[in-house]
Amino acid sequence: MSVATNILFFVFMPVFWFALIRVFFVYNRRVNRERRLFESAINPKFHEGWVFLKSLIVLGIVGSLLTALVGVETSLNWILLYELIVAISLLIPWILVPTFLLFGAVLMGVFFNDYSIPMIKGGDIAGAINVNASRSSNFLALITIMLILMFIFLKMNGKTINSPQVAKNRRGNRVASYEFNELAVFPLVLLIPGKLIETVIPMWPVFNIFGAHVTFLVVPFLIGFRFKFINHLPNELMPRISNAIGKLALLAIVLTAIAYFFRNSYYAIFAIILLAIVYALIIYHFHRVDRKTGSQISQAIDGIRIIGIKPNTPADKMGLKTGDLIIEVNNMNVNSESQLYQALQDDPTFVHMKVKNRHNQLEIKETAIYDGSPHEIGIEMFQNN
């Protein structure tokens, strides 16, 4: 009964449905943009939905095992506060900052609750902090687990679709940028002290652990990452970003371990604020790296710039990459889409290409193509109009 009730609680929370709607919105926006640019989608499959489902299962299992092992405990009021903040954020299409929302909700939970608010109003700040010693340690453990799960999430989903957004730079040249924009909701098992839930739902199970009454609750948590790449492709920087967050997770593990032996509320709050600052610095650092290094994928006059590769096509199978510059096709120099397909017509079953990659190295690519269907090679490029 408790398992079924917890599943219903997870499924009927607005965060789950808002996130699912948001995933459909991101998918439709991507596909419509690709069809507007190229008359067909680079990948019409519901890739974003697969990321959502895969993350829900994997992160739900790993995260719940970690929270159960550590015994993360929080109040029902804080859970409702977190769910409200996340639900509102999901209604704003251009905002996807679940980790910052968690940090904000945690700090609000530390300083503004039933115990500390009266003390803060009375000017007893030190008393308000001390009364939240165990609460702060639990929040620190929760943030540590979320950072671990963020590392796993980025490692699992780092190879995203290179879906271009085309615009003009200051010189009037057309350039392509790429966005990593993935999110998911997954279940976490948390401990709720007291019998508050039982008073609302009489059949909800309550356990006695070391003399304290606690309830298990499966709570939907949002995870996701949005980053617009200007001078790099996502697969060029995403591994470095995920590794940096992985190192931050290791730091969080050390800080949490110290907190369990060094029971001091000031320390736990300091550790939470430190992790929030370092996470913000990581994101800021990689935004600067993207802007200051690398080179934009721009339209070329000495070849054809690839800005998208359709999966499972001849272009994909021969190893062409987004950003490559096609110089020669079947021994013919090419500078436009019409010249490309004219060259492909010379041999309707096989293609030989000379390309220059993102590192300005010449490469030879060869593969069989669909007989009589050169337009199905799978290359997307800047359009002439």
Side-chain angles (χ1 to χ4, degrees):
M1 179 64 184
S2 61
V3 174
T5 308
N6 267 291
I7 291 175
L8 289 175
F9 178 83
F10 173 81
V11 171
F12 284 110
M13 288 298 286
V15 165
F16 177 80
W17 293 104
F18 287 0
L20 198 57
I21 293 170
R22 175 76 170 263
V23 168
F24 275 103
F25 172 80
V26 171
Y27 164 72
N28 284 324
R29 187 178 63 174
R30 173 181 66 82
V31 170
N32 289 336
R33 181 181 66 249
E34 291 171 358
R35 286 173 176 165
R36 186 177 65 253
L37 289 172
F38 312 116
E39 298 182 354
S40 64
I42 292 176
N43 186 357
K45 294 182 179 179
F46 191 20
H47 167 81
E48 292 81 355
W50 169 240
V51 169
F52 185 94
L53 179 61
K54 178 175 61 174
S55 301
L56 183 149
I57 295 171
V58 174
L59 301 185
I61 293 173
V62 175
S64 294
L65 287 174
L66 291 174
T67 54
L69 178 66
V70 176
V72 178
E73 181 182 298
T74 186
S75 69
L76 182 60
N77 287 340
W78 182 83
I79 291 173
L80 295 177
L81 170 67
Y82 170 79
E83 296 294 316
L84 176 63
I85 293 173
V86 171
I88 292 173
S89 73
L90 285 170
L91 296 176
I92 307 174
W94 57 88
I95 291 180
L96 182 61
V97 286
T99 306
F100 287 115
L101 293 178
L102 177 63
F103 276 116
V106 161
L107 291 174
M108 291 176 67
V110 169
F111 291 107
F112 303 104
N113 54 71
D114 296 338
Y115 302 104
S116 59
I117 288 178
M119 293 182 178
I120 293 174
K121 288 182 178 179
D124 187 6
I125 305 298
I129 293 176
N130 288 325
V131 80
N132 289 308
S134 61
R135 179 187 293 262
S136 302
S137 297
N138 276 285
F139 279 139
L140 177 58
L142 177 61
I143 285 175
T144 299
I145 291 170
M146 288 298 293
L147 288 173
I148 294 171
L149 297 179
M150 174 62 84
F151 170 71
I152 297 173
F153 177 80
L154 294 179
K155 283 296 183 182
M156 283 197 312
N157 306 306
K159 293 183 179 180
T160 186
I161 300 169
N162 285 330
S163 178
Q165 300 179 17
V166 177
K168 289 187 177 181
N169 60 17
R170 294 178 180 177
R171 297 179 180 179
N173 300 324
R174 278 185 288 183
V175 295
S177 60
Y178 299 83
E179 186 176 60
F180 183 93
N181 188 13
E182 305 287 356
L183 72 147
V185 168
F186 63 95
L188 273 187
V189 176
L190 299 179
L191 299 177
I192 311 299
K195 299 182 177 181
L196 179 61
I197 298 180
E198 187 188 28
T199 60
V200 180
I201 307 175
M203 298 185 65
W204 199 283
V206 177
F207 302 91
N208 191 313
I209 301 178
F210 301 114
H213 293 94
V214 296
T215 300
F216 291 93
L217 190 63
V218 177
V219 181
F221 273 76
L222 177 68
I223 196 166
F225 193 75
R226 185 176 186 180
F227 194 106
K228 187 171 184 179
F229 296 88
I230 305 297
N231 291 337
H232 293 80
L233 292 171
N235 60 4
E236 294 172 346
L237 275 189
M238 283 304 300
R240 294 171 59 185
I241 294 174
S242 61
N243 288 339
I245 292 177
K247 292 177 183 177
L248 180 61
L250 289 175
L251 172 62
I253 291 172
V254 173
L255 294 176
T256 303
I258 295 173
Y260 272 83
F261 293 101
F262 183 56
R263 291 283 180 175
N264 184 288
S265 53
Y266 287 98
Y267 168 80
I269 294 172
F270 168 78
I272 292 170
I273 295 174
L274 175 64
L275 291 173
I277 293 173
V278 174
Y279 181 82
L281 289 175
I282 289 173
I283 304 303
Y284 174 75
H285 167 73
F286 282 104
H287 273 293
R288 284 185 58 85
V289 168
D290 179 52
R291 269 59 172 181
K292 298 294 183 181
T293 63
S295 59
Q296 283 187 302
I297 295 178
S298 58
Q299 192 168 17
I301 59 174
D302 55 346
I304 297 173
R305 182 75 66 188
I306 299 175
I307 61 174
I309 298 289
K310 290 185 176 181
N312 303 316
T313 59
D316 186 26
K317 293 175 182 177
M318 78 170 76
L320 290 174
K321 303 294 183 184
T322 302
D324 284 351
L325 181 67
I326 302 174
I327 300 172
E328 193 177 281
V329 177
N330 292 338
N331 299 316
M332 293 177 58
N333 293 331
V334 292
N335 294 301
S336 66
E337 184 177 8
S338 60
Q339 290 178 350
L340 168 67
Y341 291 122
Q342 182 181 352
L344 289 172
Q345 293 284 6
D346 280 1
D347 190 337
T349 60
F350 191 81
V351 61
H352 173 95
M353 287 189 180
K354 183 185 292 185
V355 303
K356 186 181 293 185
N357 64 22
R358 292 263 290 162
H359 304 290
N360 289 321
Q361 297 171 333
L362 286 175
E363 297 179 347
I364 302 298
K365 304 289 185 180
E366 297 178 325
T367 189
I369 60 176
Y370 306 123
D371 187 13
S373 302
H375 288 270
E376 298 298 327
I377 193 170
I379 294 171
E380 300 294 1
M381 63 202 83
F382 290 102
Q383 300 299 300
N384 293 327
N385 54 1

